[in-house]
Amino acid sequence: MNEPYGPAGEAEPRGFRRQRRDDESTASSDREDQDDLENADRPTRFDDAGAADAQDHQRGADRRSGRDRRDEPPIPDDVEASELDSAVRRDLLSLDKKNGETVARHLVMAARLLDEDPEAALEHARAARQRAGRIAVVRETAGVTAYHAGEWAEALSELRTARRMSGGSGLLAVMADCERGLGRPERAIELGRSDEARALTGDEATELRIVVAGARMDLGQYDQAVVTLQTPELDPSRSGPAAARLFYAYAEALLAADRHPEALEWFLNAAAADLDGDTDAEERAEELAAEQAGDE
């Protein structure tokens, strides 16, 4: 199977507040979450506690996890809760002041460490979730951080929980890529066909298409992967990270479909669009050009 396509352009801990929807049944999704965690050979299950207040909630979480707060990763003294986005801080106002400040500082650390040490970032995100598991943005942050750390089952479980709590269709591409990471490309394709997927626009829709194309390639459906990425956004005059990622994915699909001259063209387009040097498109283009020259 091809590797999951990697952290999506929007797959970062975010601070926006979503409209809460009415409570609804979550039994089916909870069973899916349990299956994911068991299949991934990761024994720890991360559930919401059913306590009536925040302190009882935390004590119950500690008992179930077999972990107490002394096991939390240390937070440097210079980390301030005020560094967190104001919208997220507002979401934490339901916590008591001391706990809310600690949760905020753990979230700041998760964001700081995400790129350089995703495993350490995940420890902070887990600590925040353990203290504030009923707050959607905390669960979303835990999910995104787990995704960056390659913990696909945990990421999927947390993101499902966040969506049940707050609604919306955000991070659908990340969820689909987690399905790929768990060896379930068919489920990634199903997510790409969902009503929520059809409602996506712009870069979010593009990111999901990239994941679905990767899932097609996992299944050996290379021509279908090419077609999946053929959208109006596939315009070589575009530039920037989103365009570079799309062009690169399209080049990969063309290469897998044995359409090498076109693949070279789109690796070159990706290199031109990649103003920040986030991809290795230029190197891939050089390698492919050398291969084609050797074949002539």
Side-chain angles (χ1 to χ4, degrees):
M1 187 185 81
N2 294 293
E3 288 296 316
Y5 82 113
E10 297 298 319
E12 299 177 353
R14 298 183 294 175
F16 63 84
R17 185 180 179 87
R18 299 197 186 96
Q19 182 66 40
R20 181 176 296 278
R21 62 184 177 185
D22 293 336
D23 290 341
E24 57 185 311
S25 172
T26 61
S28 175
S29 293
D30 286 341
R31 286 193 297 271
E32 289 179 350
D33 294 346
Q34 182 65 57
D35 290 344
D36 293 339
L37 292 166
E38 290 175 353
N39 291 340
D41 294 325
R42 299 185 183 97
T44 306
R45 167 141 171 113
F46 306 103
D47 290 320
D48 291 332
D53 59 52
Q55 291 183 342
D56 287 346
H57 167 68
Q58 183 55 48
R59 284 195 293 270
D62 289 343
R63 284 194 298 270
R64 280 191 299 278
S65 67
R67 171 183 180 180
D68 64 33
R69 292 176 180 178
R70 290 174 298 178
D71 296 324
E72 291 182 0
I75 304 174
D77 292 339
D78 66 337
V79 175
E80 299 288 342
S82 59
E83 297 177 50
L84 196 63
D85 184 273
S86 60
V88 180
R89 294 204 307 273
R90 284 195 296 272
D91 280 358
L92 301 181
L93 290 176
S94 60
L95 304 173
D96 68 76
K97 184 175 180 180
K98 183 178 180 181
N99 189 39
E101 180 173 337
T102 302
V103 169
R105 294 176 71 213
H106 275 303
L107 294 178
V108 170
M109 284 301 299
R112 279 191 184 184
L113 296 168
L114 192 66
D115 291 330
E116 64 184 60
D117 192 347
E119 289 78 14
L122 181 55
E123 287 301 306
H124 284 282
R126 286 171 175 167
R129 184 207 56 232
Q130 196 172 16
R131 288 173 169 267
R134 288 188 169 188
I135 296 177
V137 71
V138 173
R139 303 303 288 265
E140 181 178 284
T141 299
V144 170
T145 310
Y147 172 74
H148 280 257
E151 297 288 345
W152 315 120
E154 181 179 347
L156 189 57
S157 177
E158 292 298 328
L159 293 174
R160 283 174 176 161
T161 298
R163 291 178 66 201
R164 290 198 298 271
M165 295 170 74
S166 63
S169 58
L171 299 176
L172 200 61
V174 179
M175 294 176 66
D177 210 33
C178 288
E179 295 286 12
R180 290 187 61 211
L182 290 167
R184 303 187 303 220
E186 297 88 351
R187 290 197 187 184
I189 293 169
E190 288 175 10
L191 278 175
R193 292 171 173 164
S194 67
D195 291 338
E196 290 174 321
R198 285 191 285 271
L200 295 178
T201 59
D203 290 348
E204 285 188 333
T206 297
E207 292 291 345
L208 182 56
R209 284 183 174 274
I210 292 172
V211 177
V212 172
R216 293 288 188 189
M217 293 173 67
D218 293 342
L219 296 171
Q221 300 172 355
Y222 305 122
D223 290 333
Q224 287 172 275
V226 170
V227 172
T228 297
L229 296 170
Q230 291 175 339
T231 68
E233 285 74 24
L234 201 65
D235 178 356
S237 67
R238 295 177 62 220
S239 62
R245 287 171 64 80
L246 175 60
F247 300 167
Y248 191 99
Y250 190 54
E252 287 275 27
L254 289 165
L255 189 61
D258 204 27
R259 294 163 61 173
H260 289 208
E262 293 170 89
L264 174 57
E265 176 186 354
W266 282 98
F267 275 127
L268 290 170
N269 289 337
D274 188 6
L275 305 179
D276 297 326
D278 292 330
T279 74
D280 64 346
E282 185 173 355
E283 291 82 358
R284 295 293 303 279
E286 291 174 356
E287 292 172 2
L288 189 55
E291 290 176 9
Q292 292 185 14
D295 292 338
E296 292 177 356

